[in-house]
Amino acid sequence: MSLMQLVEVPVPAAKKNELLLKLEAASINPVDWKVQKGMLRPFLPRKLPFIPVTDVAGVVVDVGPGVDGFQAGDQVVAMLNSFYGGGLAEYAVASENLTVKRPPQVSAAEGAGLPIAAGTALQALRTIGAKFDGTGKPLNVLITAASGGVGLYAVQLAKLAGLHVTATCGARNVELVKSLGADEVLDYRTAEGASLQSPSGKKYDGVVHCAVGISWLTFEPVLANTGRVIDITPNFTAILKSALHKVTFASKRLVPLLLSPNKADLEFLVGLLKDGKMKTLIDSRFPLSEASKAWGKSIEGHATGKIIVQMEG
């Protein structure tokens, strides 16, 4: 049985190009508990015991050699190294190249929600062809599981890119997803929702696929001729299907997405929060002493938005 325990460990030290952060908030992503459950072996975790979680916000307390863009006292948002984690703690070490300054308009909890969830949404939409400088085409997109951590950001980002958004979610979240700008929202438990068909008859240029358990046979008829399904949680079957589409030069394709974290994307996303163009929707907040409850809520899989752990003190 996997266990989560709160223990005392030494405060880590910032090495070259690193920052030591006193953490204020961290957000849990499904990949975090997949590491704990052994679903990413042999790659992760590197060693046990393992302090999970990578998406954090905090205050710089020390900088290592070679750091010139930050100083003690700076409030920041960071994505910690996936191999070493460290986010469910009072202090953590972050790389300078995956840390950005957090303006006062953005709370620690809002910022901590961004790195994996909003970063994945952004890269999935760019893979479909979305542009955020006003030069993009008015594409039709479908976002599955639109009320989850990635989905809620994806809806907002798609609308910022001028896209027509159809979304699926549970009945209790239909109005929320509409309020974020989705043009059409389907209850995934209905026959219409299960078919993924746009109520206005549109074919999708792209799908940000945040759900699980939907087969290619369901997607294929609702895609435009060169439609892409961007699968953010690809399993082995999806990867095989993607490879088959490539070698057969299929016009409609399944594309597995693995997040490629980078500073420019994180700065862009923090800027959207600062300017009020996007928001982090928070499902629930827990103190660090109750991190195991936050962990359990994430594993249940029905959170609406982000699950945040806030550090006391």
Side-chain angles (χ1 to χ4, degrees):
M1 180 182 172
S2 299
L3 293 174
M4 175 176 280
Q5 294 179 319
L6 200 60
V7 297
E8 292 282 337
V9 296
V11 173
K15 303 189 180 79
K16 186 178 181 184
N17 300 322
E18 290 181 341
L19 313 165
L20 175 63
L21 308 181
K22 186 178 194 312
L23 299 185
E24 296 173 289
S27 73
I28 297 175
N29 293 284
V31 69
D32 297 319
W33 50 260
K34 287 176 182 178
V35 171
Q36 185 200 34
K37 286 177 174 288
M39 295 163 74
L40 300 185
R41 288 185 187 134
F43 306 105
L44 293 169
R46 279 291 181 87
K47 62 178 183 177
L48 293 171
F50 182 77
I51 302 173
V53 175
T54 59
D55 292 9
V56 300
V59 179
V60 177
V61 292
D62 192 20
V63 299
V67 174
D68 55 16
F70 296 91
Q71 60 187 22
D74 285 345
Q75 292 185 311
V76 297
V77 174
M79 182 174 172
L80 307 180
N81 186 307
S82 300
F83 287 122
Y84 304 107
L88 289 187
E90 293 175 316
Y91 292 88
V93 167
S95 167
E96 182 180 24
N97 64 11
L98 283 178
T99 302
V100 303
K101 290 183 180 175
R102 175 173 66 82
Q105 298 92 330
V106 179
S107 73
E110 290 167 337
L114 292 174
I116 286 180
T120 297
L122 179 64
Q123 291 183 14
L125 287 164
R126 283 184 176 149
T127 303
I128 290 166
K131 295 185 182 297
F132 296 87
D133 58 2
T135 65
K137 297 176 182 175
L139 304 171
N140 298 317
V141 298
L142 169 68
I143 299 167
T144 63
S147 58
V150 175
L152 288 170
Y153 286 125
V155 170
Q156 296 176 80
L157 287 165
K159 293 312 296 180
L160 285 172
L163 310 187
H164 181 279
V165 175
T166 305
T168 69
C169 63
R172 69 188 174 97
N173 289 317
V174 166
E175 292 308 315
L176 169 65
V177 173
K178 280 183 181 174
S179 76
L180 295 176
D183 300 283
E184 304 171 329
V185 185
L186 302 169
D187 175 357
Y188 76 92
R189 290 188 179 91
T190 64
E192 294 82 5
S195 75
L196 304 180
Q197 291 181 353
S198 163
S200 57
K202 289 179 168 60
K203 297 288 188 182
Y204 306 118
D205 299 297
V207 179
V208 181
H209 183 29
C210 308
V212 293
I214 301 175
S215 77
W216 175 255
L217 292 175
T218 305
F219 284 120
E220 204 274 341
V222 298
L223 292 175
N225 286 337
T226 56
R228 298 283 186 267
V229 176
I230 313 302
D231 191 343
I232 69 162
T233 56
N235 57 21
F236 186 63
T237 304
I239 291 167
L240 286 180
K241 178 69 74 176
S242 170
L244 179 64
H245 288 169
K246 273 189 176 178
V247 299
T248 59
F249 301 101
S251 59
K252 301 179 182 182
R253 291 191 182 183
L254 181 69
V255 181
L257 178 78
L258 293 175
L259 176 67
S260 177
N262 65 83
K263 188 165 188 160
D265 282 359
L266 195 50
E267 284 179 334
F268 174 68
L269 294 164
V270 169
L272 292 179
L273 290 189
K274 172 180 175 284
D275 295 338
K277 294 179 179 177
M278 185 177 77
K279 53 189 174 183
T280 294
L281 282 95
I282 295 173
D283 174 271
S284 47
R285 303 170 192 248
F286 297 84
L288 182 60
S289 58
E290 295 180 10
S292 59
K293 290 183 181 177
W295 200 254
K297 189 166 182 62
S298 180
I299 292 172
E300 284 172 15
H302 298 294
T304 301
K306 298 299 297 177
I307 297 168
I308 301 293
V309 175
Q310 294 184 299
M311 317 316 169
E312 300 96 330

